Amino acid sequence: MSHALIIDDNMVVCRAVQNRLAAFGFNSFDHTWTEQQARNAAAERRPDLIVVGDHLADGSPLAVAREVATSTDAPILAVTTDRFSLQRALPIGATIEGPYSLSELDAALQSAHASA
């Protein structure tokens, strides 16, 4: 059983990501749109994959994903409409694979799984 934590405030994007993850074999999901919700969801159920979007209603999706990832070995998959903004938010030396379109999400998941 694979569990994904999806951190983004856009429910249309979250549902599209969930549908692709379900096709990839994930069968349980937490959708969160604030940093605190993401922390609570991760504490309640450890994610096998963390998916972050561009925005949260309260806080930074990338910051909370990094925080949650330190207590798990779950890979982080960023779904963004602005790759360059994401790169500026990453620590120096961090790398990004992609970008991937939503139709290429399977390839991104395989890459994330291989690096975990």
Side-chain angles (χ1 to χ4, degrees):
M1 179 159 61
S2 296
H3 177 68
L5 172 59
I6 303 172
I7 306 170
D8 190 74
D9 65 357
N10 185 325
M11 287 308 293
V12 173
V13 170
C14 288
R15 291 292 178 200
V17 168
Q18 178 177 327
N19 290 340
R20 297 300 298 163
L21 292 175
F24 197 74
F26 283 81
N27 55 13
S28 119
F29 306 91
D30 279 317
H31 295 264
T32 62
W33 52 92
T34 70
E35 282 190 15
Q36 193 58 50
Q37 287 175 338
R39 282 186 202 98
N40 293 347
E44 189 171 314
R45 180 146 188 209
R46 186 175 175 215
D48 298 301
L49 176 70
I50 302 167
V51 180
V52 296
D54 287 325
H55 303 285
L56 284 180
D58 179 35
S60 164
L62 193 55
V64 75
R66 277 187 279 197
E67 180 184 325
V68 169
T70 60
S71 62
T72 71
D73 18 343
I76 300 172
L77 179 64
V79 177
T80 183
T81 57
D82 184 1
R83 181 175 189 243
F84 299 107
S85 177
L86 175 64
Q87 284 178 311
R88 287 189 298 274
L90 290 173
I92 294 172
T95 59
I96 295 177
E97 292 187 34
Y100 300 95
S101 67
L102 191 56
S103 64
E104 298 172 311
L105 189 56
D106 291 355
L109 289 167
Q110 289 170 347
S111 177
H113 183 17
S115 67

